[in-house]
Coordinates of all heavy atoms in Angstrom, one line a residue:
N278 N -54.8 -48.4 -90.5 CA -55.9 -48.4 -89.6 C -56.0 -49.8 -88.9 O -55.8 -50.8 -89.6 CB -57.3 -48.3 -90.4 CG -57.3 -46.9 -91.0 OD1 -56.6 -46.0 -90.7 ND2 -58.2 -46.7 -92.0
F279 N -56.2 -49.8 -87.6 CA -56.3 -51.0 -86.9 C -57.7 -51.1 -86.2 O -58.7 -50.6 -86.7 CB -55.2 -51.1 -85.8 CG -53.8 -51.1 -86.4 CD1 -53.1 -49.9 -86.5 CD2 -53.3 -52.3 -86.9 CE1 -51.8 -49.9 -87.1 CE2 -52.0 -52.3 -87.5 CZ -51.3 -51.1 -87.6
E280 N -57.8 -51.7 -85.1 CA -59.0 -51.8 -84.3 C -58.6 -51.4 -82.9 O -57.7 -51.8 -82.3 CB -59.6 -53.2 -84.3 CG -60.1 -53.7 -85.6 CD -61.3 -52.9 -86.1 OE1 -62.4 -53.2 -85.6 OE2 -61.1 -52.0 -87.0
Q281 N -59.4 -50.5 -82.3 CA -59.1 -50.0 -81.0 C -59.1 -51.2 -80.0 O -59.9 -52.1 -80.1 CB -60.1 -48.9 -80.5 CG -59.8 -47.6 -81.1 CD -60.6 -46.4 -80.5 OE1 -61.5 -46.7 -79.8 NE2 -60.2 -45.2 -80.9
H282 N -58.2 -51.1 -79.0 CA -58.0 -52.1 -78.0 C -57.5 -53.4 -78.6 O -57.6 -54.5 -77.9 CB -59.3 -52.3 -77.2 CG -59.8 -51.0 -76.6 ND1 -59.2 -50.3 -75.8 CD2 -61.0 -50.4 -76.9 CE1 -59.9 -49.2 -75.5 NE2 -61.0 -49.3 -76.1
D283 N -57.1 -53.4 -79.8 CA -56.5 -54.6 -80.5 C -54.9 -54.5 -80.2 O -54.3 -53.5 -80.7 CB -56.8 -54.6 -81.9 CG -56.3 -55.9 -82.6 OD1 -55.4 -56.6 -82.0 OD2 -56.8 -56.2 -83.7
L284 N -54.4 -55.4 -79.5 CA -53.0 -55.4 -79.2 C -52.1 -55.4 -80.4 O -50.9 -55.0 -80.4 CB -52.6 -56.5 -78.3 CG -53.3 -56.5 -76.9 CD1 -52.9 -57.8 -76.1 CD2 -53.0 -55.3 -76.1
F285 N -52.6 -55.9 -81.5 CA -51.9 -56.1 -82.8 C -51.4 -54.7 -83.3 O -50.2 -54.5 -83.6 CB -52.7 -56.7 -83.8 CG -52.1 -56.9 -85.1 CD1 -51.2 -58.0 -85.3 CD2 -52.2 -56.0 -86.2 CE1 -50.6 -58.2 -86.5 CE2 -51.6 -56.2 -87.4 CZ -50.8 -57.3 -87.6
G286 N -52.2 -53.7 -83.3 CA -51.9 -52.4 -83.8 C -50.8 -51.7 -82.9 O -49.8 -51.1 -83.5
D287 N -50.9 -51.9 -81.6 CA -49.8 -51.3 -80.8 C -48.5 -52.0 -81.0 O -47.4 -51.3 -81.0 CB -50.3 -51.5 -79.3 CG -49.3 -50.9 -78.3 OD1 -48.9 -49.7 -78.4 OD2 -48.8 -51.7 -77.5
A288 N -48.5 -53.3 -81.2 CA -47.3 -54.0 -81.4 C -46.6 -53.6 -82.7 O -45.4 -53.4 -82.8 CB -47.5 -55.5 -81.5
I289 N -47.4 -53.4 -83.8 CA -46.8 -53.0 -85.1 C -46.3 -51.6 -85.0 O -45.2 -51.2 -85.5 CB -47.9 -53.0 -86.2 CG1 -48.4 -54.5 -86.4 CG2 -47.4 -52.4 -87.5 CD1 -47.2 -55.4 -86.9
L290 N -47.0 -50.7 -84.2 CA -46.5 -49.3 -84.1 C -45.2 -49.3 -83.3 O -44.3 -48.5 -83.6 CB -47.6 -48.5 -83.4 CG -47.5 -47.0 -83.7 CD1 -47.8 -46.7 -85.1 CD2 -48.5 -46.2 -82.8
K291 N -45.1 -50.1 -82.3 CA -43.8 -50.1 -81.5 C -42.7 -50.6 -82.4 O -41.5 -50.0 -82.4 CB -43.9 -51.1 -80.3 CG -44.8 -50.6 -79.2 CD -44.9 -51.6 -78.1 CE -45.8 -51.0 -76.9 NZ -45.9 -52.0 -75.8
W292 N -42.9 -51.5 -83.3 CA -41.9 -51.9 -84.3 C -41.5 -50.8 -85.3 O -40.4 -50.6 -85.6 CB -42.4 -53.2 -85.0 CG -41.5 -53.6 -86.1 CD1 -40.3 -54.3 -86.0 CD2 -41.8 -53.5 -87.5 NE1 -39.8 -54.5 -87.3 CE2 -40.7 -54.1 -88.2 CE3 -42.9 -53.0 -88.3 CZ2 -40.7 -54.1 -89.6 CZ3 -42.8 -53.0 -89.6 CH2 -41.7 -53.6 -90.3
L293 N -42.5 -50.1 -85.7 CA -42.3 -49.0 -86.6 C -41.4 -47.9 -86.0 O -40.6 -47.3 -86.7 CB -43.6 -48.3 -87.1 CG -44.4 -49.1 -88.2 CD1 -45.7 -48.3 -88.4 CD2 -43.6 -49.2 -89.5
G294 N -41.6 -47.7 -84.7 CA -40.8 -46.7 -84.0 C -39.4 -47.1 -83.6 O -38.6 -46.3 -83.2
E295 N -39.0 -48.4 -83.8 CA -37.7 -48.8 -83.4 C -36.6 -48.2 -84.3 O -36.9 -48.1 -85.5 CB -37.6 -50.3 -83.5 CG -38.5 -51.1 -82.5 CD -38.3 -52.6 -82.6 OE1 -37.5 -53.0 -83.5 OE2 -39.0 -53.3 -81.9
P296 N -35.5 -47.8 -83.8 CA -34.5 -47.2 -84.6 C -33.8 -48.2 -85.6 O -33.8 -49.4 -85.2 CB -33.5 -46.7 -83.6 CG -33.7 -47.5 -82.4 CD -35.2 -47.8 -82.4
V297 N -33.4 -47.8 -86.7 CA -32.8 -48.7 -87.7 C -31.4 -49.0 -87.2 O -30.6 -48.1 -86.9 CB -32.7 -48.1 -89.1 CG1 -32.1 -49.0 -90.0 CG2 -34.2 -47.7 -89.5
P298 N -31.0 -50.3 -87.1 CA -29.6 -50.6 -86.6 C -28.6 -50.2 -87.6 O -28.8 -50.2 -88.8 CB -29.7 -52.1 -86.5 CG -30.8 -52.6 -87.4 CD -31.8 -51.5 -87.4
T299 N -27.5 -49.7 -87.1 CA -26.4 -49.3 -88.0 C -25.7 -50.5 -88.6 O -25.2 -50.4 -89.7 CB -25.4 -48.5 -87.2 OG1 -24.9 -49.2 -86.0 CG2 -26.0 -47.2 -86.7
A300 N -25.6 -51.6 -87.8 CA -24.9 -52.8 -88.4 C -25.9 -53.6 -89.2 O -27.1 -53.6 -88.9 CB -24.4 -53.6 -87.2
P301 N -25.4 -54.3 -90.2 CA -26.3 -55.1 -91.0 C -27.0 -56.2 -90.2 O -26.5 -56.7 -89.3 CB -25.4 -55.8 -92.0 CG -24.2 -54.9 -92.1 CD -24.0 -54.3 -90.7
H302 N -28.3 -56.4 -90.5 CA -29.1 -57.3 -89.8 C -29.0 -58.7 -90.4 O -29.5 -58.9 -91.5 CB -30.6 -56.9 -89.7 CG -31.4 -57.7 -88.8 ND1 -31.4 -57.6 -87.5 CD2 -32.4 -58.6 -89.1 CE1 -32.3 -58.4 -86.9 NE2 -32.9 -59.0 -87.9
V303 N -28.3 -59.6 -89.7 CA -28.1 -60.9 -90.3 C -29.1 -61.9 -89.7 O -29.2 -62.0 -88.5 CB -26.6 -61.4 -90.0 CG1 -26.4 -62.8 -90.6 CG2 -25.6 -60.4 -90.6
I304 N -29.8 -62.6 -90.6 CA -30.8 -63.6 -90.2 C -30.3 -65.0 -90.6 O -30.0 -65.2 -91.7 CB -32.1 -63.3 -90.8 CG1 -32.6 -61.9 -90.4 CG2 -33.2 -64.4 -90.4 CD1 -34.0 -61.6 -91.0
E305 N -30.2 -65.9 -89.6 CA -29.8 -67.3 -89.9 C -31.0 -68.2 -89.6 O -31.3 -68.4 -88.4 CB -28.6 -67.6 -89.1 CG -27.4 -66.7 -89.4 CD -26.2 -67.1 -88.5 OE1 -26.3 -68.1 -87.7 OE2 -25.1 -66.5 -88.7
G306 N -31.5 -68.8 -90.6 CA -32.6 -69.8 -90.4 C -33.9 -69.1 -90.2 O -34.0 -67.9 -90.1
P307 N -35.0 -69.9 -90.1 CA -36.3 -69.4 -89.9 C -36.4 -68.6 -88.6 O -35.9 -69.0 -87.5 CB -37.2 -70.7 -89.8 CG -36.4 -71.7 -90.5 CD -34.9 -71.4 -90.2
T308 N -37.0 -67.5 -88.6 CA -37.2 -66.6 -87.5 C -38.3 -65.7 -87.6 O -38.8 -65.4 -88.7 CB -35.9 -65.8 -87.2 OG1 -36.0 -65.0 -86.1 CG2 -35.6 -64.9 -88.4
I309 N -38.8 -65.2 -86.5 CA -39.9 -64.2 -86.5 C -39.3 -62.8 -86.3 O -40.1 -61.8 -86.3 CB -41.0 -64.5 -85.4 CG1 -40.3 -64.5 -84.0 CG2 -41.7 -65.8 -85.7 CD1 -41.3 -64.6 -82.9
D310 N -38.0 -62.7 -86.2 CA -37.3 -61.5 -86.0 C -37.3 -60.7 -87.3 O -36.8 -61.2 -88.3 CB -35.9 -61.7 -85.5 CG -35.2 -60.4 -85.2 OD1 -35.9 -59.4 -85.0 OD2 -34.0 -60.4 -85.3
V311 N -37.9 -59.5 -87.4 CA -37.9 -58.6 -88.5 C -37.3 -57.3 -88.2 O -37.7 -56.6 -87.2 CB -39.3 -58.4 -89.1 CG1 -39.3 -57.6 -90.3 CG2 -40.0 -59.7 -89.3
S312 N -36.2 -57.0 -88.8 CA -35.5 -55.7 -88.5 C -36.3 -54.5 -88.7 O -37.2 -54.5 -89.6 CB -34.2 -55.6 -89.3 OG -34.5 -55.6 -90.7
P313 N -36.1 -53.4 -88.0 CA -36.9 -52.2 -88.2 C -36.8 -51.6 -89.6 O -35.9 -51.8 -90.3 CB -36.3 -51.3 -87.1 CG -35.6 -52.1 -86.1 CD -35.1 -53.3 -86.9
L314 N -37.8 -50.8 -89.9 CA -37.9 -50.2 -91.2 C -37.2 -48.8 -91.2 O -37.2 -48.1 -90.2 CB -39.4 -49.9 -91.6 CG -40.2 -51.1 -92.0 CD1 -41.7 -50.6 -92.2 CD2 -39.7 -51.8 -93.2
S315 N -36.7 -48.5 -92.4 CA -36.1 -47.1 -92.5 C -37.1 -46.2 -93.2 O -37.3 -45.1 -92.8 CB -34.8 -47.2 -93.2 OG -34.9 -47.7 -94.6
L316 N -37.7 -46.7 -94.3 CA -38.6 -45.9 -95.1 C -38.2 -44.5 -95.3 O -38.8 -43.5 -94.9 CB -40.0 -45.9 -94.4 CG -40.7 -47.3 -94.3 CD1 -42.1 -47.1 -93.7 CD2 -40.9 -47.9 -95.7
S317 N -37.0 -44.3 -96.0 CA -36.4 -43.0 -96.1 C -37.2 -42.1 -96.9 O -37.0 -40.8 -96.8 CB -35.0 -43.2 -96.8 OG -35.1 -43.8 -98.0
K318 N -38.2 -42.6 -97.8 CA -39.0 -41.7 -98.6 C -40.3 -41.4 -98.0 O -41.1 -40.6 -98.6 CB -39.2 -42.3 -100.0 CG -37.9 -42.5 -100.8 CD -38.1 -43.1 -102.1 CE -36.8 -43.3 -102.9 NZ -37.1 -43.8 -104.3
L319 N -40.6 -41.9 -96.8 CA -41.9 -41.7 -96.2 C -42.1 -40.2 -95.8 O -41.3 -39.7 -95.1 CB -42.1 -42.6 -95.0 CG -43.5 -42.6 -94.4 CD1 -44.5 -43.2 -95.4 CD2 -43.5 -43.4 -93.1
R320 N -43.2 -39.6 -96.3 CA -43.5 -38.2 -96.0 C -44.9 -38.0 -95.4 O -45.1 -37.0 -94.7 CB -43.4 -37.4 -97.3 CG -42.0 -37.4 -97.9 CD -41.0 -36.7 -97.0 NE -39.7 -36.8 -97.6 CZ -38.8 -37.7 -97.3 NH1 -39.0 -38.6 -96.4 NH2 -37.6 -37.7 -97.9
N321 N -45.8 -39.0 -95.6 CA -47.1 -38.8 -95.1 C -47.5 -40.1 -94.3 O -47.5 -41.2 -94.9 CB -48.1 -38.6 -96.2 CG -47.7 -37.5 -97.2 OD1 -47.7 -36.4 -96.8 ND2 -47.4 -37.9 -98.4
L322 N -47.9 -39.9 -93.1 CA -48.3 -41.1 -92.2 C -49.6 -40.8 -91.6 O -49.9 -39.8 -91.0 CB -47.2 -41.2 -91.1 CG -47.5 -42.4 -90.1 CD1 -47.5 -43.7 -90.9 CD2 -46.5 -42.4 -89.0
D323 N -50.6 -41.8 -91.8 CA -51.9 -41.7 -91.2 C -52.1 -42.9 -90.3 O -51.9 -44.1 -90.8 CB -53.0 -41.7 -92.3 CG -52.9 -40.5 -93.2 OD1 -52.2 -39.5 -92.8 OD2 -53.5 -40.5 -94.3
L324 N -52.6 -42.7 -89.1 CA -52.8 -43.8 -88.2 C -54.2 -43.6 -87.6 O -54.6 -42.5 -87.2 CB -51.8 -43.8 -87.0 CG -50.3 -43.9 -87.4 CD1 -49.4 -43.6 -86.2 CD2 -50.0 -45.3 -88.0
G325 N -54.9 -44.7 -87.5 CA -56.3 -44.7 -87.0 C -56.8 -45.9 -86.3 O -56.2 -47.0 -86.5
M326 N -57.8 -45.7 -85.5 CA -58.4 -46.8 -84.8 C -57.4 -47.6 -84.0 O -57.3 -48.8 -84.2 CB -59.2 -47.7 -85.7 CG -60.4 -47.0 -86.4 SD -61.6 -46.5 -85.2 CE -62.3 -48.1 -84.6
L327 N -56.6 -46.9 -83.2 CA -55.4 -47.5 -82.6 C -55.4 -47.2 -81.1 O -55.7 -46.1 -80.7 CB -54.2 -46.9 -83.3 CG -52.8 -47.3 -82.7 CD1 -52.5 -48.7 -83.1 CD2 -51.8 -46.4 -83.3
S328 N -55.0 -48.1 -80.3 CA -54.7 -47.9 -78.9 C -53.2 -48.1 -78.7 O -52.6 -49.1 -79.0 CB -55.5 -48.9 -78.0 OG -56.8 -48.7 -78.1
T329 N -52.5 -47.0 -78.2 CA -51.1 -47.1 -78.0 C -50.7 -46.1 -76.9 O -51.5 -45.3 -76.4 CB -50.4 -46.8 -79.3 OG1 -49.0 -47.1 -79.2 CG2 -50.5 -45.3 -79.7
E330 N -49.4 -46.2 -76.6 CA -48.9 -45.3 -75.5 C -48.2 -44.1 -76.1 O -47.9 -44.0 -77.2 CB -47.8 -46.1 -74.7 CG -48.4 -47.3 -73.9 CD -47.3 -48.1 -73.2 OE1 -46.2 -47.6 -73.2 OE2 -47.7 -49.1 -72.5
I331 N -48.1 -43.1 -75.2 CA -47.5 -41.8 -75.6 C -46.1 -42.0 -76.2 O -45.8 -41.5 -77.3 CB -47.5 -40.8 -74.4 CG1 -48.9 -40.4 -74.1 CG2 -46.6 -39.6 -74.8 CD1 -48.9 -39.5 -72.9
T332 N -45.2 -42.7 -75.5 CA -43.9 -42.9 -75.9 C -43.8 -43.6 -77.2 O -42.9 -43.2 -78.1 CB -43.1 -43.6 -74.8 OG1 -43.7 -44.9 -74.5 CG2 -42.9 -42.8 -73.5
T333 N -44.6 -44.5 -77.5 CA -44.6 -45.3 -78.7 C -45.0 -44.3 -79.9 O -44.3 -44.3 -80.9 CB -45.6 -46.4 -78.7 OG1 -45.3 -47.3 -77.7 CG2 -45.6 -47.2 -80.0
L334 N -46.0 -43.6 -79.7 CA -46.4 -42.7 -80.8 C -45.4 -41.6 -81.1 O -45.1 -41.2 -82.2 CB -47.8 -42.0 -80.4 CG -48.5 -41.2 -81.5 CD1 -48.7 -42.1 -82.8 CD2 -49.9 -40.7 -81.0
I335 N -44.8 -41.1 -80.1 CA -43.8 -40.0 -80.2 C -42.6 -40.6 -81.0 O -42.0 -39.9 -81.9 CB -43.3 -39.5 -78.9 CG1 -44.5 -38.6 -78.3 CG2 -42.0 -38.6 -79.0 CD1 -44.1 -38.0 -76.9
K336 N -42.2 -41.8 -80.7 CA -41.0 -42.4 -81.4 C -41.3 -42.6 -82.9 O -40.4 -42.3 -83.7 CB -40.7 -43.8 -80.8 CG -40.0 -43.7 -79.4 CD -39.8 -45.1 -78.9 CE -39.1 -45.1 -77.5 NZ -38.8 -46.5 -77.0
V337 N -42.5 -42.9 -83.2 CA -42.9 -43.1 -84.6 C -42.9 -41.8 -85.4 O -42.3 -41.6 -86.5 CB -44.3 -43.7 -84.8 CG1 -44.7 -43.8 -86.2 CG2 -44.2 -45.2 -84.2
V338 N -43.5 -40.7 -84.8 CA -43.5 -39.4 -85.4 C -42.1 -38.8 -85.6 O -41.8 -38.2 -86.6 CB -44.5 -38.5 -84.6 CG1 -44.5 -37.1 -85.2 CG2 -45.9 -39.0 -84.6
A339 N -41.3 -39.0 -84.5 CA -40.0 -38.4 -84.6 C -39.0 -39.2 -85.5 O -38.0 -38.6 -85.9 CB -39.4 -38.3 -83.1
K340 N -39.3 -40.4 -85.7 CA -38.3 -41.3 -86.5 C -38.3 -40.9 -87.9 O -37.2 -40.8 -88.5 CB -38.7 -42.7 -86.3 CG -37.9 -43.7 -87.2 CD -38.3 -45.1 -87.0 CE -37.6 -46.0 -87.9 NZ -38.0 -47.5 -87.8
F341 N -39.4 -40.6 -88.6 CA -39.5 -40.4 -90.0 C -39.5 -38.9 -90.3 O -39.9 -38.1 -89.6 CB -40.7 -41.1 -90.6 CG -40.8 -42.6 -90.3 CD1 -41.7 -43.1 -89.4 CD2 -40.0 -43.4 -91.0 CE1 -41.7 -44.4 -89.1 CE2 -40.0 -44.8 -90.8 CZ -40.9 -45.3 -89.8
D342 N -38.9 -38.6 -91.5 CA -38.9 -37.3 -92.0 C -40.2 -36.9 -92.6 O -40.4 -36.8 -93.9 CB -37.8 -37.1 -93.0 CG -37.5 -35.7 -93.5 OD1 -38.1 -34.8 -92.8 OD2 -36.9 -35.5 -94.5
L343 N -41.2 -36.7 -91.8 CA -42.6 -36.5 -92.3 C -42.9 -35.1 -92.6 O -42.4 -34.1 -92.0 CB -43.6 -37.0 -91.2 CG -43.5 -38.4 -90.8 CD1 -44.4 -38.7 -89.6 CD2 -43.8 -39.4 -91.9
I344 N -43.8 -35.0 -93.6 CA -44.4 -33.7 -94.0 C -45.8 -33.6 -93.4 O -46.3 -32.5 -93.1 CB -44.4 -33.5 -95.5 CG1 -42.9 -33.3 -96.0 CG2 -45.2 -32.3 -95.9 CD1 -42.8 -33.2 -97.5
S345 N -46.5 -34.7 -93.4 CA -47.9 -34.7 -92.9 C -48.1 -35.9 -92.0 O -47.6 -37.0 -92.3 CB -48.8 -34.8 -94.1 OG -50.2 -35.0 -93.8
I346 N -48.9 -35.7 -91.0 CA -49.4 -36.8 -90.1 C -50.8 -36.6 -89.7 O -51.2 -35.5 -89.4 CB -48.4 -37.0 -88.9 CG1 -48.9 -38.2 -88.0 CG2 -48.4 -35.7 -88.0 CD1 -47.9 -38.6 -87.0
N347 N -51.6 -37.6 -89.8 CA -53.0 -37.6 -89.3 C -53.2 -38.7 -88.3 O -52.9 -39.9 -88.6 CB -53.9 -37.8 -90.5 CG -53.8 -36.7 -91.6 OD1 -54.0 -35.5 -91.3 ND2 -53.4 -37.1 -92.8

Side-chain angles (χ1 to χ4, degrees):
N278 295 343
F279 298 98
E280 295 292 284
Q281 281 191 350
H282 307 299
D283 185 343
L284 300 175
F285 181 81
D287 180 56
I289 296 297
L290 204 64
K291 287 180 178 177
W292 173 73
L293 283 176
E295 293 179 4
V297 179
T299 55
H302 189 70
V303 180
I304 300 178
E305 298 181 359
T308 179
I309 59 174
D310 182 25
V311 183
S312 59
L314 287 175
S315 61
L316 295 181
S317 59
K318 297 183 179 181
L319 188 65
R320 298 295 177 264
N321 308 295
L322 179 63
D323 297 346
L324 300 171
M326 296 296 292
L327 173 75
S328 296
T329 191
E330 297 179 359
I331 290 177
T332 54
T333 300
L334 191 55
I335 289 178
K336 287 180 180 179
V337 172
V338 176
K340 174 182 176 179
F341 302 105
D342 185 16
L343 298 175
I344 293 178
S345 170
I346 182 167
N347 297 301

